[in-house]
Amino acid sequence: MAAAPRYRSLAFGKLPVEKSIGQNGATYVKTSMPLGDYPRRLTDRLIYWAKKTPDQTYIAKRDESGEWRRVSYKQLLDASRRIGQALLDRGLSVERPVLLLSGNDIENLLLTMACQYTGIPYAPISPAYSLVSKDYAKLRHVIDVVSPGLIFASDADQYVAAITSTHTSNNVEYVCTRGSLKQIPTTPFETLLATPASDAVDAAYEATGPDTIVKFLFTSGSTSLPKAVINTQRMICSNQKMMANAWPFLEEEPPVLLDWLPWNHTFGGNHNLGIALYHGGTVYIDDGRPTDQGIAETLRNLREISPTIYFNVPIGWEKIANALDNDQALRNSYYRNLKLQFYSGAALAQPVWNKLHATAEKACGERIVMTTGLGMTETSPSAIWVLTERALAGQAGVPLPSLEVKLVPHGDKTEIRYRGPSVTPGYWRAPDQTAKAFDEEGYFCSGDAVKWLDPNDPNQGLMFDGRVAEDFKLVTGTWVSVGPLRAVVAREGAPYLQDSVITGHDRHEVGLLIVPNRALCQQLSGLDASATDDAVLSSPPVREFFQRLVDRLYASGTGSATRVTRALVLVRPPSLDLGEITDKGSINQRAVLTHRNDSVEALYTGTDPAIITPAAKQQRS
């Protein structure tokens, strides 16, 4: 019998699970581990580390010369007080907060920490709303919701079109690190940084507490217009304490992160920045991206920076796994200090998982734990985590300390709901949406579906089971579980399938709208880079690949709910403005089905010659 694989030593917290059944038929789940004390505000940790390790780097980013520009804890505290004074001088408040149009950069970080220090909320906005959107409707919406008193643009020249199109009030001050807005007056960021701090700044800091609003994080959910999720100090600090209990190794040495995940999302902005600040660690800003063009910068950084924890999304892990397989210098640097790997956003394909284990064993003779969890913007973000070295694809884990979980039957699915100190009090200036988000017992209704890994052993935790609202019935009354089926399609369709949308509501059979990976399909087609999307996607090699995919999906189906009987490759990419795709790149199934109704109809009437049907089905008919 083969010996069990060896993993690099790592201690997880012990979170015994307690489970009970309510009179309402719901299942209640929590851990018996107490949370313990946590700071009143995250800035308490900034002050602590500025005194204990003043010269330790908190944030670093490459400058134009390629060298790392660093900001220490002492420098960060000083900048927070100076900029905080400038914000107070402008009369900013929860009613007139700061809105940020910026990617991850140092000035962004300095400004947001100044906001936290003085208790002035901020709203980091997805750059895609300004740089990808064509109509700026979402940007107008978020400006209307938060009514900012100051808008920060990291690069005025980059954001000038979006700002000009949405500028309606002279009561808003624009602050820019670089460039100008031409017809709109701007304040240089250095002006804020040069403001002398007074006792008023520290008085403002003392007035903040657990219920102070830190930020508004916008999330689209299943609707086209984003919602402003209120994030308080209590939410963020309690969530960091939950994670510290689950990962006690964070207390052993300051964590080192190399991270590209955007700060306008909860995982990058709360989870990762928070872990480093809470534990006196360092964040190196990665200007790379998990794309064919951007991955080179990430790999360059990983050859130089050896993280202790590394976070990424599945497509990023796939590219890194391939690079590690072929680059010894990269392997040596990446695995030198690594304790833990974490994926989120979607399921990680088993071949990628296997390759990462293989490259780790090649580099250091042992595997590095790969784990995951489940959470959302409204839970700031971590809710349940997998706390074992041998995680399984699709596993979600057990509740973190002090977070109560309620499992509610929903058709043939089970919805997971949350209650605890890390859960949002609601959506800003949206009382109706807030009321709908919570049930009668005060649990936040996530819309995520879960199931037990082992119904007889709750300590093995939960598995992710898709979204309850995405599932539908065929005309026969058979339920189609969209999440698991999309996971199968993603695995079988790699690498030329980017995503998919499942069809078949009130129809006899399941169909598929395929979102292709345009760049890889172009390579597969053999056509010149100037070829049109239509030419690429209708080329024989690409057509043959998707034909074989549909054949496999049809053959592997075990019934009408899992058997794909037809597919159509979408030539027109999903639209951000129509809400078909989020700024994180994930597909909104409902929006695509709404806006592509003509494609769905063609799929079932057979009126489009590009429709792909399984060869076995063609022969049978």
Side-chain angles (χ1 to χ4, degrees), residues 202-224:
D202 298 318
Y205 164 74
E206 292 296 338
T208 62
D211 294 317
T212 299
I213 297 176
V214 175
K215 64 176 86 171
F216 304 112
L217 285 179
F218 280 86
T219 178
S220 296
S222 59
T223 62
S224 59

Side-chain angles (χ1 to χ4, degrees), residues 237-497:
C237 292
S238 66
N239 202 233
Q240 287 297 326
K241 178 62 175 178
M242 292 175 190
M243 293 189 283
N245 287 353
W247 289 350
F249 65 87
L250 289 171
E251 304 288 347
E252 297 173 359
E253 63 175 322
V256 175
L257 309 182
L258 174 73
D259 194 42
W260 65 268
L261 292 165
W263 298 343
N264 58 282
H265 293 150
T266 185
F267 203 87
N270 281 357
H271 187 282
N272 295 355
L273 285 180
I275 281 178
L277 183 58
Y278 199 91
H279 298 282
T282 301
V283 177
Y284 290 88
I285 298 174
D286 178 17
D287 281 333
R289 288 293 183 273
T291 64
D292 294 334
Q293 298 75 28
I295 195 64
E297 179 64 16
T298 293
L299 298 178
R300 172 199 182 192
N301 291 331
L302 282 173
R303 291 186 188 96
E304 185 174 332
I305 305 300
S306 298
T308 59
I309 313 172
Y310 192 68
F311 303 98
N312 216 321
V313 295
I315 185 63
W317 281 115
E318 180 180 343
K319 295 180 182 303
I320 287 171
N322 291 335
L324 287 167
D325 195 33
N326 301 304
D327 188 330
Q328 181 177 347
L330 177 65
R331 288 197 300 272
N332 291 342
S333 175
Y334 177 70
Y335 288 115
R336 182 174 295 119
N337 302 319
L338 194 64
K339 293 184 175 182
L340 184 74
Q341 304 170 115
F342 193 103
Y343 76 89
S344 64
L348 185 66
Q350 194 61 49
V352 176
W353 210 312
N354 295 341
K355 183 171 286 189
L356 287 166
H357 284 328
T359 57
E361 290 173 333
K362 186 187 299 185
C364 52
E366 57 189 357
R367 296 180 177 184
I368 307 298
V369 171
M370 171 66 79
T371 190
T372 188
L374 185 63
M376 56 199 314
T377 306
E378 289 86 350
T379 60
S380 59
S382 297
I384 60 178
W385 269 4
V386 180
L387 300 175
T388 174
E389 65 182 20
R390 298 186 186 183
L392 303 173
Q395 198 170 355
V398 299
L400 294 177
S402 85
L403 192 74
E404 302 171 76
V405 165
K406 180 179 178 181
L407 306 180
V408 180
H410 191 287
D412 65 344
K413 294 269 190 175
T414 299
E415 183 189 20
I416 184 169
R417 300 178 180 180
Y418 306 110
R419 188 173 71 179
S422 61
V423 177
T424 183
Y427 302 109
W428 184 244
R429 293 175 175 167
D432 291 343
Q433 288 180 321
T434 297
K436 292 176 182 177
F438 294 87
D439 68 14
E440 68 285 353
E441 294 184 294
Y443 285 84
F444 180 82
C445 305
S446 72
D448 288 331
V450 295
K451 58 185 177 182
W452 292 105
L453 177 60
D454 181 347
N456 297 316
D457 184 4
N459 285 297
Q460 292 196 35
L462 297 159
M463 299 281 288
F464 182 67
D465 196 29
R467 296 278 295 171
V468 295
E470 288 182 342
D471 293 351
F472 59 83
K473 285 184 179 181
L474 298 173
V475 72
T476 58
T478 302
W479 275 100
V480 176
S481 295
V482 169
L485 182 55
R486 284 182 66 199
V488 171
V489 173
R491 182 183 68 243
E492 293 293 324
Y496 302 106
L497 178 141

Side-chain angles (χ1 to χ4, degrees), residues 23-140:
Q23 293 182 349
N24 55 5
T27 301
Y28 297 85
V29 186
K30 63 180 181 179
T31 177
S32 59
M33 182 182 190
L35 181 59
D37 296 332
Y38 55 87
R40 287 171 50 81
R41 54 223 154 184
L42 195 59
T43 38
D44 291 352
R45 300 301 286 173
L46 170 59
I47 294 172
Y48 174 82
W49 293 114
K51 292 178 179 178
K52 183 174 183 179
T53 55
D55 298 325
Q56 169 77 23
T57 297
Y58 171 62
I59 198 80
K61 189 177 192 289
R62 289 193 191 273
D63 60 21
E64 293 180 354
S65 71
E67 297 300 315
W68 290 101
R69 175 190 170 196
R70 298 171 180 269
V71 177
S72 70
Y73 280 90
K74 180 181 178 181
Q75 291 169 329
L76 178 56
L77 178 57
D78 178 66
S80 298
R81 295 182 71 252
R82 288 174 173 272
I83 299 170
Q85 181 68 58
L87 301 180
L88 293 175
D89 291 346
R90 286 157 170 79
L92 300 176
S93 66
V94 68
E95 299 299 332
R96 298 181 66 244
V98 173
L99 186 140
L100 298 106
L101 304 178
S102 171
N104 298 358
D105 68 20
I106 287 179
E107 286 74 23
N108 179 334
L109 188 280
L110 297 180
L111 181 54
T112 58
M113 288 308 300
C115 287
Q116 288 200 46
Y117 196 88
T118 53
I120 296 168
Y122 60 94
I125 306 305
S126 167
Y129 293 175
S130 300
L131 306 180
V132 177
S133 174
K134 304 301 182 185
D135 61 12
Y136 307 118
K138 290 185 177 180
L139 181 58
R140 288 192 185 89

